[in-house]
Amino acid sequence: MLCALATASPPAKPNPSHAAAADHHARLRAAAARSDLPGELAAFAAMSSSSSAPAGARPVLRTFTALLKLCAARADLATGRAVHAQLATRGLASESLAATALANMYAKCRRPADARRVFDRMPTRDRVAWNALVAGYARNGLAQAAMEMVVRMQVEDGERPDSVTLVSVLPACADARALDACREVHAFALRGGFDVLVNVSTAILDAYCKCGAIEVARAVFDWMPHKNSVSWNAMINGYADNGNSAEALSLFKRMLGEGVDVTDVSVLAALQACGELGYLDEARRVHELLVRIGLKSNVSVMNALITMYSKCKRTDLAAQVFNELGNKTRISWNAMILGFTQNGCSEDAVRLFSRMQLENVKPDSFTLVSVIPAVADISDPLQARWIHGYSIRQHLDQDVYVLTALIDMYAKCGRVTIARSLFNSARERHVITWNAMIHGYGSHGFGKVAVELFEEMKGTGRLPNETTFLSVLTACSHGGLVDEGRNFFASMKEDYGLEPGMEHYGTMVDLLGRAGKLDEAWSFIQNMPTEPGISVYGAMLGACKLHKNVELAEKSARRIFELGPEEGVYHVLLANIYANASMWKGVARVRTAMEKKGLQKTPGWSIIQLKNEVHTFYSGSTNHQQAKEIYARLAKLIEEIKAVGYLPDTDSIHDVEDDVKAQLLHTHSEKLAIAYGLIRTAPGTTIQIKKNLRVCNDCHNATKLISLVTGREIIMRDIQRFHHFKHGKCSCGDYW
Ligand code: ZN
Ligand code: ZN
């Protein structure tokens, strides 16, 4: 197309049909501007029914082309076809003005093939006709055909493209991501002097943006002597869509500064950018602005506002916008539910989903994919079953994204077997479906099964991605499969060309460290091609605690503290390592450092859900209604497990007398939650609890024995993985 554009442009000559076309357009514009369509249609009806044709073809033609224009604007194919039939009866269908209007009508009614048929029957075709076809193809997503037409108009009819042609074909080049074609159109526009037209230059920069050539687009933008708000919008959107939120936002501010009219398009791009960057102050200013310019009634803008506040972690502000929104659409509900879920407000997400049901808003697969992870986070088996049944009733359970969310949810609720049967029943499996199942097995300590499934996945020809490798490496780490883990890590880059990220390195250190290969883990860190992050040294520190290695712990901790962690968890870990080695000066030093930096120890909590109520326990908390009963049951429980050999593991607490230590251990949140579960549930019921930290040695040991003396199965989900306690043993094999 580009060669054709470059070479085949004949010199511009006066076009006899041009004046007529302009006149025709003026009349069409006038017709379109009039809103008396019923009147026009009445005239049409009268003409169709009258046996005698009105005198003179021209007035009839004028009425018909005006009608066609209206049909095109309303995408009214039926009336358009009726007009076509009338024109054909009168032998006017191939007349240039009529045929062009017909082609345009068919194109706008999404019938490009019909448009082409009309066009092909025209005895002579002018530029207006060619342009109608180019625009028709481009509008219907037939980019290649549109570009071909631009070549043919020059080769076959010697018609030189004009600004209308360029503005029509550029979106087609953009849709086809045809960067070379964009360049050729751009060059043609420069040679023909069309680039001074603001709509042509804007279409050029927009096409460059969509082809990812953002720098070139910016050069076009900066060069433009006149820009309108469409030009600014195109450039800002270009940055936002190409992931350069900072530049999108700075350009938006410049647009405001230069007094250009801001529209919904630029506001949407600015909101997206604020959300990506998490810039709350800027976000609030855009919010004020959009209220000022009257965009509050624009529901797309308001939905974007909800998403943006959620991304800035301000679900309170998002909820305020949502609640004040008068004309909520399903997208508004979805945005708010997802916002809650992604910010860990799972209860709110589920509550809002219920409200959506009450208000009879029909959910779609996106709604379910947003709410199911919230149900997974709450880990209530009853709710999990309910949402699964609901997905089936809505015929959305075989949607691959919904199905994957369900698999992940069942695994997180401790129901790996159900997750697997869903996985087996899937009609379609995406890579994320495999990842969810492999991760599910890994988090429950079924390392071998996870590895088998990973091999099966490779056997089906499905390509693993970075997340698949992270899941399988985690599974190897939790299952103690050191050799397999090493091989998978190497294979990631060698066989699949995937670059390991910080999380993969962290998991490898965890894998080696847990297995007691501390020196190998340390040299692995030293040989990393990128600067190791906190998570990598954190994994090393955890391994040092497990294997009581003070020297490497100090080295790791030094690096972590240099990197400035935001939580006190690593300081606590190091203090515990010192305490285990009876290095009390070290303990004191770490504590002082922690106080100086204002870092807090994360308080431990455990939750248990019983009959739709969530009970949260903090270590040592006594504010539960049934606190007395709980402590009494716990005291009895401790006596019972002591009888089968329980010895409080007081290593992890220091500075206090042994009996006080035991007392402190006995009030750990998970023990309180278990005691409460035993009081509230019938004998034989499985007890399920969730904890925000890693379970400590003592609680792990105690829980094993509790499962033995009470005959209960206890499922504990800690921050790392699941522990299934049964008959005095844990599924993790004491390896966590
Ligand atoms: Zn504990
Ligand atoms: Zn365990």
Side-chain angles (χ1 to χ4, degrees):
M1 167 176 120
L2 322 170
C3 309
L5 278 176
T7 57
S9 325
K13 54 177 185 204
N15 186 336
S17 71
H18 195 79
D23 178 39
H24 165 70
H25 279 302
R27 260 179 277 121
L28 287 189
R29 260 198 304 281
R34 282 201 309 270
S35 58
D36 55 347
L37 179 64
E40 293 274 349
L41 284 175
F44 173 59
M47 280 193 296
S48 316
S49 59
S50 122
S51 50
S52 61
R58 293 305 293 184
V60 177
L61 202 57
R62 217 174 300 146
T63 313
F64 279 143
T65 49
L67 263 173
L68 286 171
K69 177 92 181 177
L70 286 165
C71 295
R74 288 163 189 242
D76 180 357
L77 184 62
T79 312
R81 282 202 200 284
V83 175
H84 189 175
Q86 286 295 322
L87 282 167
T89 333
R90 288 168 167 79
L92 296 170
S94 296
E95 202 280 338
S96 176
L97 284 188
T100 305
L102 278 170
N104 179 52
M105 181 275 295
Y106 280 124
K108 289 207 172 127
C109 292
R110 315 206 70 79
R111 289 290 190 285
D114 288 337
R116 178 61 182 270
R117 249 191 300 281
V118 173
F119 180 82
D120 284 344
R121 287 198 197 114
M122 290 172 74
T124 56
R125 295 167 296 206
D126 61 7
R127 182 156 54 196
V128 180
W130 279 102
N131 282 350
L133 204 64
V134 171
Y137 279 138
R139 198 176 295 120
N140 285 286
L142 301 165
Q144 213 55 47
M147 291 191 268
E148 262 172 50
M149 282 300 130
V150 178
V151 178
R152 285 186 49 195
M153 75 189 280
Q154 302 165 73
V155 176
E156 292 177 17
D157 284 0
E159 283 292 353
R160 196 179 147 85
D162 64 358
S163 67
V164 177
T165 324
L166 299 187
V167 170
S168 302
V169 77
L170 278 163
C173 303
D175 281 348
R177 304 280 179 272
L179 184 57
D180 285 343
C182 287
R183 286 206 191 96
E184 296 197 35
V185 176
H186 186 194
F188 178 82
L190 286 173
R191 277 196 306 276
F194 292 114
D195 58 324
V196 296
L197 300 171
V198 66
N199 61 338
V200 173
S201 278
T202 301
I204 290 172
L205 84 86
D206 187 50
Y208 275 130
C209 286
K210 297 216 164 91
C211 293
I214 196 86
E215 310 280 314
V216 190
R218 181 57 185 261
V220 174
F221 179 80
D222 286 338
W223 173 88
M224 285 169 74
H226 304 290
K227 307 178 180 75
N228 58 21
S229 55
V230 183
S231 331
W232 284 88
N233 289 347
M235 197 63 234
I236 294 171
N237 258 328
Y239 279 120
D241 290 343
N242 283 277
N244 191 342
S245 301
E247 195 53 45
L249 201 57
S250 108
L251 209 55
F252 177 75
K253 284 194 274 187
R254 230 184 87 194
M255 180 181 185
L256 288 177
E258 297 192 9
V260 185
D261 275 347
V262 170
T263 66
D264 55 341
V265 181
S266 31
V267 167
L268 282 169
L271 289 175
Q272 189 191 332
C274 290
E276 296 300 330
L277 297 165
Y279 285 176
L280 187 62
D281 290 345
E282 304 276 2
R284 290 191 140 158
R285 252 170 267 148
V286 181
H287 188 172
E288 281 165 23
L289 170 84
L290 70 89
V291 171
R292 223 166 36 237
I293 60 175
L295 286 174
K296 229 184 147 178
S297 55
N298 182 322
V299 70
S300 307
V301 170
M302 298 316 273
N303 292 345
L305 199 55
I306 294 170
T307 298
M308 183 277 299
Y309 276 133
S310 302
K311 283 197 178 153
C312 291
K313 303 192 192 309
R314 288 299 299 267
T315 47
D316 55 329
L317 297 177
Q320 205 178 328
V321 173
F322 177 81
N323 289 328
E324 285 170 7
L325 190 57
N327 47 344
K328 294 183 186 67
T329 60
R330 177 163 58 204
I331 297 172
S332 325
W333 289 89
N334 288 354
M336 194 63 239
I337 293 174
L338 184 67
F340 279 136
T341 300
Q342 289 183 334
N343 282 284
C345 311
S346 306
E347 307 278 347
D348 291 315
V350 174
R351 232 187 326 267
L352 192 64
F353 179 71
S354 309
R355 210 178 112 199
M356 186 178 178
Q357 311 294 293
L358 289 176
E359 298 194 13
N360 285 322
V361 185
K362 202 175 153 46
D364 58 7
S365 56
F366 191 81
T367 321
L368 289 176
V369 169
S370 304
V371 75
I372 292 172
V375 177
D377 186 50
I378 296 168
S379 282
D380 172 21
L382 279 179
Q383 277 191 30
R385 263 202 298 275
W386 183 84
I387 195 87
H388 182 194
Y390 182 85
S391 311
I392 296 172
R393 288 194 296 281
Q394 297 292 322
H395 306 290
L396 290 169
D397 61 311
Q398 280 294 336
D399 175 284
V400 68
Y401 294 97
V402 174
L403 185 89
T404 302
L406 288 170
I407 290 171
D408 184 59
M409 174 192 73
Y410 275 118
K412 290 211 168 98
C413 292
R415 303 293 193 273
V416 200
T417 326
I418 304 181
R420 182 58 191 258
S421 62
L422 276 189
F423 179 83
N424 289 344
S425 74
R427 272 182 233 139
E428 189 193 347
R429 286 176 202 150
H430 198 275
V431 59
I432 58 167
T433 320
W434 289 91
N435 293 354
M437 197 62 238
I438 293 171
H439 179 81
Y441 279 128
S443 67
H444 285 276
F446 303 124
K448 285 226 165 63
V449 194
V451 167
E452 277 165 27
L453 196 63
F454 179 57
E455 295 297 346
E456 192 186 323
M457 174 185 183
K458 290 196 278 185
T460 64
R462 173 70 74 183
L463 282 181
N465 62 16
E466 285 91 345
T467 312
T468 321
F469 276 99
L470 189 61
S471 300
V472 78
L473 287 174
T474 309
C476 291
S477 172
H478 287 162
L481 307 170
V482 179
D483 290 340
E484 288 87 340
R486 273 200 207 104
N487 291 340
F488 289 141
F489 185 81
S491 146
M492 191 175 167
K493 194 168 179 186
E494 282 165 19
D495 303 333
Y496 296 94
L498 298 170
E499 201 59 53
M502 202 55 80
E503 285 171 305
H504 298 93
Y505 284 104
T507 308
M508 275 309 285
V509 170
D510 195 59
L511 171 86
L512 297 168
R514 277 164 196 270
K517 301 182 184 302
L518 292 183
D519 292 330
E520 188 181 341
W522 186 252
S523 67
F524 180 83
I525 295 177
Q526 305 314 310
N527 291 325
M528 274 174 66
T530 48
E531 189 60 32
I534 290 183
S535 59
V536 175
Y537 285 113
M540 187 71 209
L541 194 59
C544 291
K545 166 149 195 281
L546 196 61
H547 298 286
K548 305 189 187 338
N549 186 322
V550 177
E551 190 201 331
L552 285 176
E554 283 179 326
K555 281 188 183 173
S556 310
R558 200 172 307 133
R559 289 294 301 132
I560 293 175
F561 300 158
E562 280 167 18
L563 294 166
E566 281 171 22
E567 303 117 42
V569 50
Y570 300 110
H571 286 82
V572 173
L573 207 51
L574 182 64
N576 283 338
I577 294 169
Y578 280 136
N580 277 340
S582 301
M583 296 167 70
W584 307 112
K585 274 187 191 156
V587 175
R589 207 166 48 237
V590 177
R591 288 214 167 151
T592 316
M594 232 179 130
E595 274 164 27
K596 251 190 209 157
K597 289 180 189 154
L599 294 170
Q600 306 250 314
K601 187 174 167 175
T602 316
W605 52 254
S606 297
I607 60 170
I608 180 164
Q609 182 154 10
L610 298 161
K611 299 200 177 83
N612 283 327
E613 304 159 22
V614 177
H615 298 265
T616 309
F617 293 92
Y618 290 90
S619 295
S621 68
T622 52
N623 53 4
H624 193 275
Q625 284 178 3
Q626 288 168 273
K628 252 189 171 163
E629 276 176 86
I630 295 168
Y631 277 93
R633 184 74 184 88
L634 187 56
K636 197 168 154 256
L637 209 52
I638 299 293
E639 290 313 313
E640 285 168 14
I641 59 176
K642 272 186 181 161
V644 291
Y646 169 67
L647 280 176
D649 170 18
T650 48
D651 269 5
S652 48
I653 308 181
H654 36 84
D655 295 2
V656 286
E657 297 302 319
D658 269 359
D659 53 339
V660 183
K661 282 185 191 175
Q663 197 54 45
L664 286 173
L665 281 172
H666 295 162
T667 60
H668 272 186
S669 64
E670 50 269 61
K671 291 198 185 85
L672 296 173
I674 292 171
Y676 186 58
L678 288 169
I679 296 172
R680 285 283 307 272
T681 57
T685 315
T686 298
I687 291 175
Q688 192 159 346
I689 64 171
K690 193 170 110 182
K691 177 167 175 55
N692 68 328
L693 303 172
R694 217 184 261 208
V695 57
C696 82
N697 265 331
D698 183 71
C699 288
H700 193 267
N701 197 19
T703 309
K704 284 198 290 187
L705 296 171
I706 293 171
S707 77
L708 182 70
V709 299
T710 61
R712 299 282 194 110
E713 191 178 337
I714 300 167
I715 301 175
M716 188 189 292
R717 172 179 169 189
D718 75 6
I719 194 160
Q720 288 275 328
R721 57 170 296 148
F722 280 87
H723 302 266
H724 293 251
F725 298 95
K726 204 176 175 180
H727 306 313
K729 287 196 179 117
C730 181
S731 64
C732 73
D734 299 337
Y735 194 91
W736 78 95

